């Protein structure tokens, strides 16, 4: 995927996320969504796929260079406890205020403009180490795609069409990550419907 496509994929995923957030009924923010998160907490966690781009671009990048999104995920995998991630999501959800949709809309607009105007090779200070913007964006597209689908399921909505390219890109990234894990054989069998998937779900 070329750099323009990477940015377009991210921006499309952000737009899809906003579409879902704008569809949340006023009474649904406290409804269960995913694990410990209610809809607000899931929205807060997912919004970090936007806010971290902004904050990490404004932080001096130090440490070893991380060579792309696969290396990023392999580095941060298991580095933060699930409880800490859940708490951070709830806290971020709380900061969205009385009108979470308006807060997310402003964030999407602001970060979208930043991504469009920032050079591809701009340094980004991530938890895994220094990256370029264009290498970091696929990790945020992945978060928007997966949690966008989580939010759609929680709201019993169809995934927005704008999320389709991000889903495809995230499948490719997930496969590339999985290929490096000890569980790679099991993951391959899972994708081919060998174990535990509903309706004989398979890539073939």
């Amino acid at each position: 995927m070329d750099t323009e496509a990477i940015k377009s994929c991210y921006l499309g995923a952000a737009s899809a996320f906003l579409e879902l957030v704008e569809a949340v009924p006023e009474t649904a923010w406290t409804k269960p969504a995913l694990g410990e998160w209610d809809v607000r907490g899931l929205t807060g966690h997912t919004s970090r796929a936007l806010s971290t781009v902004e904050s990490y671009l404004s932080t001096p990048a130090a440490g070893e260079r991380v060579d792309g999104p696969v290396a990023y995920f392999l580095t941060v995998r298991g580095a933060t406890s699930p409880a800490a991630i859940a708490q951070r999501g709830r806290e971020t959800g709380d900061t969205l205020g009385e009108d979470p949709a308006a807060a997310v809309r402003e964030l999407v607009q602001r970060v979208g403009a930043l991504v469009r105007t920032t050079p591809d090779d701009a340094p980004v200070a991530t938890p895994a180490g220094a990256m370029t913007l264009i290498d970091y964006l696929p990790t945020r597209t992945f978060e928007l795609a997966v949690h966008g689908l989580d939010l759609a399921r929680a709201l019993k909505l169809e995934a927005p069409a704008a999320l389709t390219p991000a889903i495809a890109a995230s499948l490719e990234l997930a496969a590339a990550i999985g290929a490096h894990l000890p569980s790679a054989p099991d993951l391959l069998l899972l994708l081919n419907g060998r174990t535990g998937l509903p309706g004989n779900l398979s890539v073939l």
Side-chain angles (χ1 to χ4, degrees):
M1 188 180 291
D2 64 30
T3 59
E4 285 302 316
I6 289 171
K7 284 189 173 182
S8 177
C9 195
Y10 174 77
L11 295 170
S15 175
F17 172 52
L18 175 58
E19 182 178 336
L20 288 166
V21 173
E22 289 179 332
V24 177
E26 188 174 342
T27 58
W29 292 105
T30 58
K31 289 186 175 180
L34 178 68
E36 299 180 35
W37 286 320
D38 57 13
V39 171
R40 177 184 282 271
L42 175 58
T43 299
H45 175 76
T46 310
S47 73
R48 287 177 51 78
L50 297 155
S51 60
T52 57
V53 172
E54 184 175 52
S55 62
Y56 292 173
L57 275 170
S58 66
T59 303
E64 291 189 17
R65 168 77 178 269
V66 179
D67 188 21
V70 173
Y72 171 88
F73 276 117
L74 292 174
T75 300
V76 301
R77 188 173 183 268
T80 305
S81 72
I85 293 171
Q87 179 62 23
R88 190 168 58 193
R90 288 191 294 268
E91 291 172 352
T92 307
D94 289 342
T95 67
L96 296 176
E98 295 183 1
D99 190 348
V104 170
R105 187 181 309 115
E106 196 277 333
L107 184 61
V108 168
Q109 291 171 350
R110 190 175 70 242
V111 175
L114 179 64
V115 167
R116 290 184 185 94
T117 57
T118 300
D120 297 343
D121 61 354
V124 179
T126 82
M131 300 181 73
T132 62
L133 174 63
I134 208 65
D135 280 346
Y136 182 60
L137 283 182
T139 74
R140 302 306 89 195
T141 300
F142 186 93
E143 294 287 329
L144 288 167
V146 172
H147 292 308
L149 291 174
D150 288 330
L151 187 56
R153 290 181 68 188
L155 299 171
K156 295 181 171 55
L157 296 174
E158 294 292 328
L163 197 60
T164 300
I167 293 170
S170 297
L171 273 171
E172 292 184 14
L173 179 53
I177 297 165
H180 291 271
L181 302 178
S183 57
D186 291 331
L187 290 170
L188 180 58
L189 289 174
L190 185 68
L191 285 171
N192 283 276
R194 296 298 192 271
T195 55
L197 291 176
N200 297 317
L201 186 63
S202 172
V203 296
L204 297 178

